[in-house]
Amino acid sequence: MASIKPVVCAVLLCCVTVLSVPQQALADNFPNHPFTLVITSSAGSGVARWGQMIAQILSKPGFLGQPVNVVYKGGGSGNEAGVYTHEHKADGYTLLQVSGSQPGYYNLPTMRYPFSDFTFVARMEKTLYAIGVANDSQFKTFKDLVAYAKANPGKLSFGGNKIGSVHQRMFAALTTALKVNIRYVPYQGTGQVVKDVLGHHVPVGMAQPGLWLPNVQAGKARMLLLLNDERIKQFPDLPVPSDLGINVDLPVQFQGIVVRKGVPQERIKFIAAALQKVQDTPEYQQYIKLNPGEIPYFSDDQKALNADMRKQIQSAHTFMVEHGILRK
């Protein structure tokens, strides 16, 4: 019997070692094949570049433990991306990028799957926007623009993103607070807004500060107002609404990740932990540095994020009805 004891001890040691392995790995060896990150925009867009960066970091050792492939599904204001995600199993391997514009899009009749078919993994960051004009514009300040709009109701055009987007809701909140009538011109992306402002096809527009900045530095554009609650250190001289006595509650543009409803909680927590680690990487820090107006805004509080999304969807619905985008 004495000769059996070493064998028994070895078996017991193995049992202790196995029990120390994380439960998610014990249950089904997750993850054991590549992930897919679905982007609700076309390749080459700002969101697409963000998605590529996130996927590259997550593919490195110490994050998800598997490669992350990027798929672009930009049609239908996010509908194609939602359909593609819903066609795959609720196993955590298909990640869907979501933004602050989605609450509006989820109200469109073209959306095949409602947000209730998905659930948040994490919110990563928020994106700020600035109102800008060409450098030779007659509007030297935002007050100049407001004065013109009040004197000429409905004659001023304003370029922004798609119908129902967070950009249009920001625009509506601002013009309502100012009590001015300005025509909103929807674009497929803010890059084209900047191009048309510089080309004098539209006199004023909204875009990320990072898109305005190269043109500001080249003497081609001027930013008039940052749409945020407070000034930021990257642009200490750029006023925000409160600086001008404008009391407005602006919706927030953000980037985040959701999955199909039904993905096991331990998998969601595993993915969220990897996303949180992304923020500490040199690549992500460099991205924030090179894209002024991108502000870290991480949260993996699923309950709060899902509740806020439902609230924003309802708020966007009210806005879209009031502005004739949807019928009552």
Side-chain angles (χ1 to χ4, degrees):
M1 293 294 292
S3 62
I4 299 177
K5 288 182 179 179
V7 176
V8 174
C9 290
V11 172
L12 290 173
L13 181 61
C14 287
C15 290
V16 172
T17 302
V18 170
L19 289 172
S20 67
V21 176
Q23 190 63 38
Q24 61 191 24
L26 274 178
D28 53 10
N29 196 30
F30 177 84
N32 58 21
H33 63 79
F35 292 81
T36 298
L37 174 58
V38 186
I39 302 296
T40 62
S41 182
S42 58
S45 67
V47 173
R49 291 193 294 272
W50 177 87
Q52 290 170 343
M53 174 198 64
I54 297 297
Q56 289 170 0
I57 297 173
L58 289 175
S59 298
K60 291 185 174 184
F63 289 87
L64 290 180
Q66 292 288 339
V68 180
N69 302 312
V70 181
V71 173
Y72 305 103
K73 296 290 179 180
S77 296
N79 181 59
E80 285 190 18
V83 170
Y84 181 90
T85 302
H86 209 276
E87 288 174 345
H88 291 73
K89 294 180 180 179
D91 55 11
Y93 286 99
T94 306
L95 313 176
L96 174 61
Q97 168 262 328
V98 67
S99 74
S101 286
Q102 295 304 117
Y105 303 155
Y106 275 115
N107 284 291
L108 297 175
T110 53
M111 290 295 281
R112 184 172 172 184
Y113 297 105
F115 181 72
S116 57
D117 282 1
F118 304 93
T119 189
F120 254 101
V121 176
R123 182 188 65 206
M124 295 293 291
E125 67 209 34
K126 67 177 177 179
T127 302
L128 304 184
Y129 292 88
I131 294 175
V133 296
N135 200 43
D136 59 357
S137 169
Q138 62 178 306
F139 308 127
K140 305 306 178 184
T141 67
F142 189 70
K143 286 185 177 181
D144 292 341
L145 186 153
V146 174
Y148 178 89
K150 288 186 174 181
N152 301 274
K155 291 187 178 181
L156 183 63
S157 298
F158 183 104
N161 216 333
K162 308 177 191 70
I163 293 294
S165 67
V166 70
H167 312 80
Q168 189 186 23
R169 287 185 282 132
M170 285 182 177
F171 166 83
L174 185 63
T175 53
T176 298
L178 292 169
K179 298 180 180 179
V180 293
N181 180 7
I182 300 176
R183 291 188 293 113
Y184 188 81
V185 181
Y187 283 78
Q188 289 301 307
T190 50
Q192 190 59 48
V193 171
V194 173
K195 289 181 181 179
D196 274 13
V197 169
L198 297 180
H200 299 91
H201 301 297
V202 62
V204 58
M206 177 195 304
Q208 298 92 323
L211 290 180
W212 289 118
L213 186 57
N215 298 290
V216 171
Q217 293 172 333
K220 298 179 180 179
R222 180 167 57 254
M223 289 186 283
L224 304 181
L225 186 73
L226 180 68
L227 297 174
N228 194 39
D229 294 335
E230 58 185 11
R231 296 193 187 199
I232 60 175
K233 62 181 180 180
Q234 295 94 325
F235 304 104
D237 299 324
L238 184 60
V240 296
S242 59
D243 291 330
L244 306 179
I246 304 169
N247 183 19
V248 57
D249 184 17
L250 296 169
V252 175
Q253 176 67 300
F254 63 83
Q255 295 298 342
I257 302 294
V258 301
V259 292
R260 269 194 66 181
K261 188 175 182 179
V263 174
Q265 275 298 310
E266 63 270 18
R267 295 189 178 193
I268 292 177
K269 290 179 180 178
F270 176 84
I271 299 166
L275 289 169
Q276 186 169 28
K277 288 170 61 178
V278 165
Q279 295 195 120
D280 297 325
T281 62
E283 298 95 325
Y284 188 84
Q285 293 299 321
Q286 182 69 1
Y287 166 79
I288 293 296
K289 182 179 179 180
L290 294 176
N291 291 274
E294 298 290 341
I295 310 296
Y297 198 47
F298 185 87
S299 172
D300 59 359
D301 186 336
Q302 274 186 270
K303 184 177 180 180
L305 291 171
N306 286 320
D308 185 65
M309 179 62 100
R310 290 191 295 269
K311 178 181 176 182
Q312 291 301 319
I313 290 172
Q314 183 56 52
S315 175
H317 181 271
T318 300
F319 160 80
M320 295 169 82
V321 170
E322 289 177 347
H323 288 79
I325 301 170
L326 295 175
R327 293 181 180 179
K328 291 184 179 180

